[in-house]
Amino acid sequence: MSLDVETYEKLIPRALKKAREHADLTVEEVAARTRISIPAIQNYEWGKNLPLMPYFLSLLHLYRLNLGQFHDIVIDIYNDQHCEETSKHISDLEERLSRLEEAAGAETRVH
């Protein structure tokens, strides 16, 4: 699957957090094992900043991931997000259809 750069960049913070949690590490533990401050790690995970490549690679190394595995996490997040949006859209359509059916039934009873 291929994502545009803007979409991919928006998913990086969530992927970094997911990777850290999957490695069973706290932000404090990551900071202690790398040369990255707690506020910087939080900013990466909150989407305020993207890490520079050396820091990004340090994080991946600590999380025991290569670039391909990190990419897979990004794609999983995208797919989950897309699935949630699709489910919500289907629920909205089902609700609208139900209201239309109720209105049609009420109109039929009046005539």
Side-chain angles (χ1 to χ4, degrees):
M1 167 175 280
S2 177
L3 300 177
D4 62 84
V5 173
E6 185 178 336
T7 300
Y8 202 93
E9 284 182 354
K10 287 179 182 177
L11 297 173
I12 288 174
R14 288 177 57 195
L16 285 170
K17 182 175 182 179
K18 186 173 182 176
R20 176 180 57 76
E21 291 172 343
H22 184 70
D24 199 28
L25 296 168
T26 66
V27 171
E28 293 78 15
E29 290 170 326
V30 172
R33 295 182 190 185
T34 64
R35 301 182 123 201
I36 305 170
S37 69
I38 290 172
I41 296 164
Q42 291 171 330
N43 285 338
Y44 301 156
E45 292 184 0
W46 296 339
K48 293 183 178 180
N49 301 89
L50 290 177
L52 296 174
M53 188 57 71
Y55 299 118
F56 177 68
L57 294 175
S58 293
L59 292 171
L60 291 188
H61 179 74
L62 180 62
Y63 302 156
R64 300 183 190 278
L65 296 171
N66 61 40
L67 288 171
Q69 292 165 321
F70 184 78
H71 173 76
D72 291 343
I73 292 170
V74 172
I75 296 302
D76 286 346
I77 291 169
Y78 174 80
N79 288 336
D80 290 347
Q81 180 179 319
H82 186 69
C83 188
E84 289 170 16
E85 291 170 0
T86 301
S87 293
K88 183 180 178 342
H89 185 66
I90 289 171
S91 293
D92 292 345
L93 289 173
E94 288 173 339
E95 185 178 318
R96 289 171 59 193
L97 179 60
S98 178
R99 286 193 308 254
L100 287 171
E101 289 171 340
E102 286 174 14
E107 188 174 307
T108 302
R109 286 189 295 273
V110 170
H111 293 295

